[in-house]
Amino acid sequence: MVESLLIGLSTSASCVAQCGNIILSIIMAENKSVGRSYGLLGGFMLGRLLIYSGISAVISLIDSAATIPASVTAVSLIAVSAIMLIYSVGKTKQLCLGHRFTRKIYSACHGRISLLAFAAGALSSLNICPPIISLIASSIGTKAVFANFVMFFIGTSVFFLPMPLIGAIKNTEAVTKTGRAAALIVSIIFLAKGIGIIING
Amino acid sequence: MNRKSNYWGTGRIGKSILLFAPMMMLIMLMLLGSASGGDAATQIARLITIAFFGAMFFLIIYTGKTDKWRAVAFIVSALLFCIAFIHNLILERGSMTFSNAEELSCTIPFCHIVTTMMIIPAAVKQTILFPGSLVEGFASISAMFVIVLCFSIVLGRGFCSWGCFYGGWDDGTSRILRKPVIKKVNNSYKWFSFAMLIVMALWSAEAAEPTYCSWLCPFKAVTENERIIDTITLIKNIIFTLTFAVLVVVLPLLTKKRIQCATFCPMGALLSLFNKINIFEVKNDTSKCIGCGKCEKACPMLAIEKRCPTLTCSKCGKCVDACPTGAMRFHIKGTPIDKHTTIARTLFIFPAYTFLVTLCGGSVANGLALIINLFI
Ligand code: SF4
Ligand code: SF4
Ligand code: SF4
């Protein structure tokens, strides 16, 4: 378990690089108070934890490396892309492509925006990254697979913790607009990645 | 109010020469000091370059118009830089394109924009990812960092109007039409460049490559780009061409705004943050402002809000030139806004212009020599 915590801690930076774009742009786009931003981060982290728990359960059952089919990864990336689009244009008042549809979804989620962050966390975790691969490799055959994943999750969460402090910035317009623009860029990148996986099989 | 009375040198030949003389010496030192010999074309090119940069500086001082003459020097620098750069590439490696192997062997020169993608990988992964040598060559990582740090501290985002050898492209295209075809551009689009900065920095750390350079940079179209060997490199090259055509040519032409620099470049966003600690700024003396809005209309960087320059101001001086009352002016933070206007402007223009000549003077001379060689 200590080893998993260390793997998590040492790869935390990679996790921020991998998923930081998603949660940072969500927090900035929403631009809530520090407390509510932590709520968003909490939702996102719970989503990650859910998928990690699922993977650890599968590894415990089959006692070998669990792989996620490329098609599932591709669909999850495209779904993350859709969620980021909702965060990006969901609140816009101006007319832009698909804004009515995304506004409707955003409004439907109003008050439950952490739920969208939760979905983003869960879906992005289906995109297996190098740190997870090393964790899976070190977990096979051990008894405490789930505990290992939890410790890994705790370790990888370190770099995410300061992000909600962005809620303390006074220039809310600048933060929100930057966040929404970032969400749009992330949405395009994830869409391209998803399509890339589908094309390459 | 007589707007021209703001400046010492304005219209006064003696004072203008007094301010011009030290800069001229600096220009000569920079362009003749390290260079010796060369063929006739090179010598002629060097002399023309000295005369050109000297003349532009004199006109800035004498006419009191900052942006008008700055822009000429800036745009010419951008065009000749690309000509000299491409020629250099062809001499060195025989083509404008590079291969993945050359990239891996750290032989590709890279520009200041890549520094925006080095910060996070260097900080959180202790890795310098990018295809350059740490200490060797004219575009080594260490040299680039020192240059970026110096100009950021001294000029803030002033670099984007006084130093960057790319900025002259959209500065130039944004001036071709007399009137904009698209009249209103939402100032909020400037925040897109900050989003680019965040996303590109994190994405680069994830992908272990300078993603903006590899996938999006418009200036790849006029400098160097990856050789097309498969679908991926084809897509990359299509993107480079499209971003150049749309962001550097078409949109600036239609809006008269520097769209690529104001809304897309992550380096511009990073430099804007340095404006916070930089002592120079362009500021509105609201007691003289009549609210005509000419400054906002003129600003190519979408930086003016409610008649006041904001974080993204590149200190080009266009709003200062456009202001009919002299309310908009160069200013040193912490000093009274209605005093020392000339000193503030002069103190800013000297280092700014020195940077321009230092970074672009050599390339302008080389580019010019190539053109002269075509005729003699
Ligand atoms: S915004 Fe970027 S390309 Fe434009 S002048 Fe600044 S650094 Fe150069
Ligand atoms: S505010 Fe004035 S000096 Fe600053 S970028 Fe705009 S026009 Fe140039
Ligand atoms: S151009 Fe000058 S007078 Fe007109 S709004 Fe701007 S600062 Fe005020």
Side-chain angles (χ1 to χ4, degrees), chain B residues 27-144:
Chain B
I27 295 172
M28 288 171 72
L29 204 71
M30 281 187 278
L31 286 163
L32 293 177
S34 57
S36 58
D39 56 14
T42 310
Q43 312 266 25
I44 295 168
R46 248 182 241 143
L47 290 178
I48 295 176
T49 308
I50 291 170
F52 168 71
F53 278 114
M56 291 306 116
F57 186 79
F58 180 80
L59 287 167
I60 288 174
I61 298 293
Y62 182 69
T63 63
K65 296 278 181 195
T66 311
D67 175 68
K68 190 173 178 183
W69 306 108
R70 173 208 65 81
V72 178
F74 194 55
I75 295 164
V76 168
S77 296
L79 295 178
L80 290 175
F81 169 85
C82 286
I83 293 175
F85 186 81
I86 292 168
H87 180 253
N88 203 20
L89 287 181
I90 292 171
L91 278 186
E92 293 271 322
R93 61 167 190 244
S95 103
M96 245 178 101
T97 61
F98 59 83
S99 67
N100 198 253
E102 280 163 325
E103 194 171 8
L104 291 175
S105 65
C106 297
T107 53
I108 309 298
F110 63 98
C111 76
H112 49 285
I113 298 177
V114 86
T115 51
T116 56
M117 285 158 280
M118 296 169 80
I119 304 161
I120 290 186
V124 301
K125 287 181 145 181
Q126 284 80 48
T127 316
I128 292 182
L129 307 166
F130 302 114
S133 144
L134 202 57
V135 287
E136 284 166 24
F138 70 95
S140 68
I141 291 169
S142 50
M144 200 58 74

Side-chain angles (χ1 to χ4, degrees), chain A residues 123-145:
Chain A
L123 289 164
S124 62
S125 300
L126 286 172
N127 181 21
I128 295 281
C129 57
I132 283 270
I133 292 171
S134 55
L135 177 72
I136 292 173
S138 70
S139 293
I140 297 166
T142 60
K143 292 215 166 60
V145 180

Side-chain angles (χ1 to χ4, degrees), chain B residues 282 295 298-301 303-304 309 312-320:
Chain B
V282 172
C295 50
C299 178
M301 304 299 273
I304 298 182
T312 55
C313 169
S314 68
K315 298 159 195 172
C316 63
K318 199 169 184 183
C319 58
V320 180

Side-chain angles (χ1 to χ4, degrees), chain B residues 162-364:
Chain B
W162 295 87
C164 179
F165 34 76
Y166 295 141
W169 278 94
D170 63 353
D171 201 357
T173 48
S174 70
R175 287 166 198 267
I176 292 175
L177 296 183
R178 275 181 70 82
K179 289 196 171 148
V181 177
I182 299 171
K183 295 209 167 53
K184 184 82 191 117
V185 182
N186 192 330
N187 274 355
S188 300
Y189 289 138
K190 64 173 174 269
W191 300 116
F192 197 86
S193 62
F194 290 83
M196 285 290 288
L197 174 63
I198 295 170
V199 177
M200 291 305 136
L202 285 167
W203 187 22
S204 300
E206 178 206 336
E209 64 167 352
T211 43
Y212 180 82
C213 313
S214 303
W215 288 94
L216 297 168
C217 178
F219 298 106
K220 282 274 185 282
V222 285
T223 52
E224 56 176 355
N225 44 57
E226 209 172 321
R227 205 161 295 142
I228 300 172
I229 48 164
D230 53 20
T231 322
I232 298 283
T233 46
L234 175 68
I235 292 173
K236 282 182 180 180
N237 278 280
I238 291 173
I239 295 174
F240 297 144
T241 314
L242 273 179
T243 49
F244 183 81
V246 175
L247 298 169
V248 183
V249 180
V250 177
L251 286 177
L253 194 81
L254 298 179
T255 59
K256 289 189 73 62
K257 305 286 178 197
R258 289 174 61 184
I259 296 296
Q260 120 76 22
C261 293
T263 68
F264 196 69
C265 176
M267 188 69 191
L270 183 69
L271 290 169
S272 296
L273 301 178
F274 277 90
N275 266 353
K276 281 269 182 206
I277 56 161
N278 184 238
I279 58 163
F280 298 110
E281 64 180 349
V282 172
K283 198 170 178 181
N284 186 351
D285 178 355
T286 46
S287 66
K288 293 195 173 70
C289 175
I290 52 168
C292 67
K294 287 190 176 162
C295 50
E296 198 168 335
K297 213 170 140 195
C299 178
M301 304 299 273
L302 310 172
I304 298 182
E305 276 172 22
K306 297 186 187 125
R307 317 280 180 254
C308 291
T310 57
L311 191 68
T312 55
C313 169
S314 68
K315 298 159 195 172
C316 63
K318 199 169 184 183
C319 58
V320 180
D321 287 0
C323 177
T325 66
M328 202 61 93
R329 52 187 57 196
F330 286 92
H331 176 243
I332 296 176
K333 287 176 190 166
T335 63
I337 178 75
D338 56 342
K339 292 198 177 87
H340 317 305
T341 312
T342 314
I343 298 179
R345 177 176 179 261
T346 313
L347 283 179
F348 172 72
I349 288 174
F350 259 92
Y353 205 78
T354 307
F355 264 112
L356 179 62
V357 181
T358 313
L359 288 177
C360 302
S363 319
V364 169

